[in-house]
Amino acid sequence: MRYQKQIVHSLEKCYALSTLPVGGQTHLLVAAEKHDPCYLFDTAGKLIDTVWTEPGGVMTMVPVPGKDGTFLATHQFYSPNDSAEAKLICAEKGADGWRITTIAELPFVHRFDVIPAGGVNYVLACTLKSGHEYKNDWRFPGKLWVGALGDDPGASLELTVLKEGLGHNHGYTRYSENGVISGIVSCDEGVFKVTPGPDWTVEQLTGQPASDAVLMDLDGDGVPELLTISPFHGDTVEIWHLKDGRYETVYEYPEKLPFLHAIYSGEVYGRPTVYVGNREGDKLLLGFYYNPKISCFQTEEVDRGAGPANCMLFARDGHPALLAANRETNEIAIYDIYPDGE
């Protein structure tokens, strides 16, 4: 693939990304990790609005299904050592601006999702840990919290604990199969597949510590591979294949990539691809894919020196594009993606 970069705006320590329907059109949300704004762009990269100027501390943003101009986000998670006041908020765009309401006080909430199932919008929230008494205190593992949004997404949200004892409970991505959406959760205890419903299920996929993971059929054999970055904020990329009911490592990227963090999967011109970025060293953004002509996994370089915290695919002008929050360079960047030769 060929990647063409456009820097659309600067935002100090830009971090969280999402798409959001506003007025029936897809828009892009970008928010900061520290005490900085959240911006709304159109897909051309034009700044449309400032959703808030503070408090920031945004790790995750998720649109509410079926609600135009409405999304949930984390606030006041500034670092693993400064997130005891973290919470979930609802942002709703109205005729006179944005209304921001706190729906749940949830210390150390880092990742979450809103997953529709059976006519209900379920919330799955992941707390990185459950407490601390001093800097870099990891003695209190994180938890998985679950609940259901009502018709008013800005109303108070009741959450209960689904699973606890999850150290460095950092990673979350979505996985969809046969119309069923699950969450892929990564922590010191391994990788788990969490599926919502009246009776939630938690399936352990691996026992190796992982910072983040995606589940995707990369080689086209009908069985999803697991791509992990490990350990917590680690330097190793591995791909796992399901064999005899267990995931086994079949590929490891030959170089160590310090502070791996960004991860996103999707099909690009029909090719399943996982994008991974790291925040130290060469600060690369790479695409991982399977080449059937030589029967092996390969990578391609999207960018270097930018240091993405997160990235995500979206569509613009009839072709795929990659939105990146390049935290280490304060860049909000869009990479248009074209087939080789175009």
Side-chain angles (χ1 to χ4, degrees):
M1 301 293 173
R2 181 171 62 86
Y3 297 87
Q4 182 174 308
K5 182 177 182 179
Q6 173 194 6
I7 300 174
V8 300
H9 208 276
S10 177
L11 177 60
E12 186 171 358
K13 291 182 172 56
C14 51
Y15 189 97
L17 305 171
S18 182
T19 56
L20 180 70
V22 179
Q25 299 295 316
T26 299
H27 288 69
L28 308 174
L29 285 168
V30 185
E33 176 180 346
K34 300 298 183 181
H35 297 268
D36 293 285
C38 172
Y39 291 135
L40 181 75
F41 299 87
D42 64 18
T43 56
K46 179 183 177 182
L47 179 61
I48 300 298
D49 203 355
T50 299
V51 182
W52 59 72
T53 57
E54 57 179 352
V58 186
M59 299 290 102
T60 308
M61 298 183 289
V62 181
V64 177
K67 298 284 188 179
D68 189 87
T70 303
F71 67 99
L72 306 188
T74 53
H75 269 185
Q76 294 181 251
F77 186 110
Y78 301 115
S79 76
N81 296 303
D82 187 9
S83 54
E85 304 299 319
K87 60 194 67 178
L88 292 177
I89 65 95
C90 178
E92 301 171 270
K93 184 171 177 58
D96 55 351
W98 293 88
R99 181 168 73 102
I100 313 297
T101 54
T102 298
I103 61 173
E105 302 283 351
L106 190 58
F108 311 103
V109 61
H110 182 258
R111 301 290 188 210
F112 76 91
D113 201 358
V114 182
I115 306 175
V120 177
N121 287 327
Y122 291 99
V123 174
L124 169 60
C126 311
T127 49
L128 185 68
K129 55 184 177 180
S130 297
H132 59 214
E133 296 177 354
Y134 50 83
K135 187 176 181 179
N136 296 328
D137 181 7
W138 292 101
R139 294 174 300 154
F140 306 93
K143 302 175 183 179
L144 300 182
W145 297 77
V146 298
L149 284 179
D151 292 336
D152 177 7
S156 295
L157 174 65
E158 182 179 345
L159 295 168
T160 59
V161 175
L162 175 66
K163 186 174 179 61
E164 51 192 342
L166 304 177
H168 291 105
N169 187 23
H170 179 268
Y172 179 87
T173 56
R174 262 194 184 197
Y175 174 67
S176 181
E177 183 176 30
N178 299 323
V180 177
I181 300 173
S182 301
I184 306 300
V185 174
S186 304
C187 56
D188 287 349
E189 287 65 36
V191 179
F192 298 84
K193 180 181 176 184
V194 184
T195 305
D199 298 312
W200 288 75
T201 62
V202 180
E203 175 189 358
Q204 186 163 10
L205 303 182
T206 73
Q208 175 177 296
S211 191
D212 293 90
V214 296
L215 196 61
M216 186 180 203
D217 183 7
L218 291 168
D219 61 11
D221 67 350
V223 179
E225 278 73 40
L226 186 70
L227 185 147
T228 61
I229 57 181
S230 61
F232 173 63
H233 285 173
D235 59 9
T236 301
V237 177
E238 294 175 282
I239 296 175
W240 306 61
H241 190 79
L242 190 63
K243 182 180 180 181
D244 299 327
R246 297 184 61 185
Y247 277 95
E248 299 179 353
T249 304
V250 293
Y251 170 87
E252 181 176 330
Y253 186 66
E255 299 178 27
K256 295 300 181 182
L257 303 170
F259 209 150
L260 284 161
H261 201 277
I263 189 167
Y264 197 86
S265 62
E267 288 201 1
V268 181
Y269 296 105
R271 186 188 74 184
T273 305
V274 181
Y275 291 97
V276 171
N278 70 313
R279 289 167 45 182
E280 294 181 356
D282 289 333
K283 302 180 181 69
L284 299 175
L285 180 56
L286 301 172
F288 287 77
Y289 65 96
Y290 184 79
N291 187 340
K293 294 181 180 178
I294 55 177
S295 301
C296 72
F297 295 99
Q298 291 188 300
T299 62
E300 60 188 7
E301 184 176 307
V302 179
D303 198 4
R304 66 169 52 223
N310 288 291
C311 64
M312 66 174 297
L313 288 165
F314 71 101
R316 74 167 183 169
D317 298 330
H319 63 265
L322 192 65
L323 174 67
N326 291 332
R327 179 193 182 278
E328 306 312 310
T329 48
N330 301 325
E331 295 176 348
I332 301 171
I334 294 175
Y335 303 84
D336 291 298
I337 309 173
Y338 303 100
D340 288 329
E342 285 194 12

